[in-house]
Amino acid sequence: MASSEVDWHREMLADLPRVRAMGAALKAALTPGEVVLDIGTGSGLLAMLACAYGASQVYAVERGHILEVARQLARHNGLEGRIQFISGHSTAVELPERVDLVVAELIGDFGLDEGIWSVFADARRRFLKPGGRLLPEGLALHLAPTAEGAEFTNWVGPLWEETGLDFGPLRALASQVSRNLWAAPDQLLAGGGCLLRCDLYQDGPLIPEGMVQAQITRAGLLTGWVGWFEAFAGGQPFLDTRPPNTGSSWSNVFLPIGEPVAVEPGDQMTLSVRLDPRFWSWEFSMPRRGVVRQCSDFYSYPAGIFKPPPQPTR
């Protein structure tokens, strides 16, 4: 069955903490009478809220077929005359005027994975008035080591017992896949740290990358790292997906390290991550143990299909 774009937006609209956080940040950022651009408007929620908070004109850009639903919803709520809907990618459309505020909820499960940094770079140059504002204004990406996710690697033994067939080669490929889960905070083995801070008023790198260090605070079997994001407005975080994040329409990300490693309090470790849009790559190391693991979504494909990606820089 094909996935429905409408149902994806229904899921986000039903996430009231998400709606509440974005709505409050928008209300605080907007001065009545201002002109607003909503990029990736989806169902039109933020465009309609901008009208409710006093925007004189809203431009709502969307490339998906959900745009037709947004138009219908604006009419249904008596706001059609105050919102101009524009079909297309924001980098390929034009506006009749510059705006006071650009807002976009192009925030993926790990913050940057829906392209908000490059989209805002274009919007700042072509659409924003001098002194205009962005929402969000920045993101921070965090990672922490975890004992969660063993189910992604421990299925081969039971399958062998059931069938007598060895699926080890497929397990090796699958153990390289970055995944989504709703992380359990009691499975974290350390507090973790910030991988990357993103100032959306500045142009970002073509391929974002960073490094995080952690010191284990409780013994366990390390299986990978869990990631989450914070979004900022007015210099303060207004939204985050730190575990526990159960029930959110945003999940956490999980970066596996291959074979689990037994760790003890005080163990030091480093994770370097390269967020290439094609293949995420990460290098896990515990120098005192002599452990170094090169991991990437690229390695989840059979050899020869794609050109190997560059490794994260330390």
Side-chain angles (χ1 to χ4, degrees):
M1 181 182 296
S3 61
S4 168
E5 188 177 350
V6 168
D7 198 58
W8 179 43
H9 285 277
R10 176 209 57 79
E11 183 179 320
M12 291 187 285
L13 292 168
D15 182 352
L16 291 183
R18 179 180 188 150
V19 171
R20 191 176 300 121
M22 288 299 302
L26 176 59
K27 186 174 184 179
L30 177 60
T31 299
E34 290 186 326
V35 179
V36 176
L37 168 61
D38 177 17
I39 298 177
T41 194
S43 64
L45 170 67
L46 295 181
M48 290 188 285
L49 285 178
C51 292
Y53 299 151
S56 61
Q57 174 69 51
V58 178
Y59 299 100
V61 177
E62 172 61 49
R63 62 178 176 176
H65 67 252
I66 192 69
L67 182 67
E68 297 307 314
V69 179
R71 284 195 175 103
Q72 179 182 344
L73 289 168
R75 287 195 299 270
H76 184 71
N77 285 278
L79 297 171
E80 184 179 23
R82 294 173 61 189
I83 304 174
Q84 181 176 332
F85 291 99
I86 301 171
S87 178
H89 195 284
S90 66
T91 59
V93 304
E94 300 291 337
L95 298 184
E97 60 180 322
R98 286 186 174 262
V99 305
D100 301 285
L101 176 66
V102 176
V103 58
E105 202 199 53
L106 300 174
I107 307 173
D109 291 316
F110 203 33
L112 295 177
D113 34 323
E114 292 185 13
I116 190 171
W117 214 341
S118 60
V119 166
F120 268 11
D122 175 76
R124 282 190 292 103
R125 286 190 291 270
R126 300 197 300 122
F127 302 138
L128 199 60
K129 292 178 181 178
R133 303 173 308 286
L134 303 174
L135 180 67
E137 65 187 22
L139 297 170
L141 313 186
H142 299 269
L143 285 160
T146 184
E148 201 165 12
E151 68 272 17
F152 300 134
T153 57
N154 65 9
W155 53 273
V156 171
L159 184 60
W160 165 267
E161 294 174 1
E162 180 69 26
T163 67
L165 299 172
D166 183 0
F167 277 78
L170 190 148
R171 175 184 182 274
L173 296 174
S175 68
Q176 295 283 335
V177 178
S178 60
R179 302 176 183 276
N180 297 90
L181 51 73
W182 282 267
D186 61 357
Q187 294 296 303
L188 298 181
L189 299 172
C194 184
L195 175 76
L196 186 64
R197 294 189 182 276
C198 317
D199 180 356
L200 298 178
Y201 286 100
Q202 303 296 323
D203 289 352
L206 184 62
I207 300 178
E209 56 186 321
M211 182 182 73
V212 62
Q213 297 177 319
Q215 178 173 302
I216 295 297
T217 56
R218 71 177 186 87
L221 200 60
L222 174 67
T223 56
W225 294 65
V226 163
W228 65 92
F229 71 84
E230 292 178 292
F232 290 81
Q236 299 296 321
F238 70 91
L239 179 66
D240 77 76
T241 57
R242 180 188 308 270
N245 193 38
T246 307
S248 172
S249 50
W250 277 295
S251 62
N252 302 118
V253 298
F254 174 68
L255 304 181
I257 62 165
E259 289 297 325
V261 177
V263 295
E264 299 289 340
D267 283 346
Q268 302 278 348
M269 58 192 60
T270 299
L271 190 73
S272 299
V273 181
R274 181 180 172 90
L275 298 175
D276 188 315
R278 300 170 303 159
F279 305 108
W280 289 4
S281 301
W282 54 101
E283 180 185 287
F284 166 69
S285 63
M286 296 179 66
R288 292 185 181 178
R289 297 274 199 93
V291 175
V292 178
R293 304 271 181 84
Q294 301 281 357
C295 305
S296 175
D297 289 311
F298 169 82
Y299 298 126
S300 67
Y301 292 88
I305 292 182
F306 299 108
K307 180 181 178 181
Q311 292 302 318
T313 57
R314 298 191 189 182

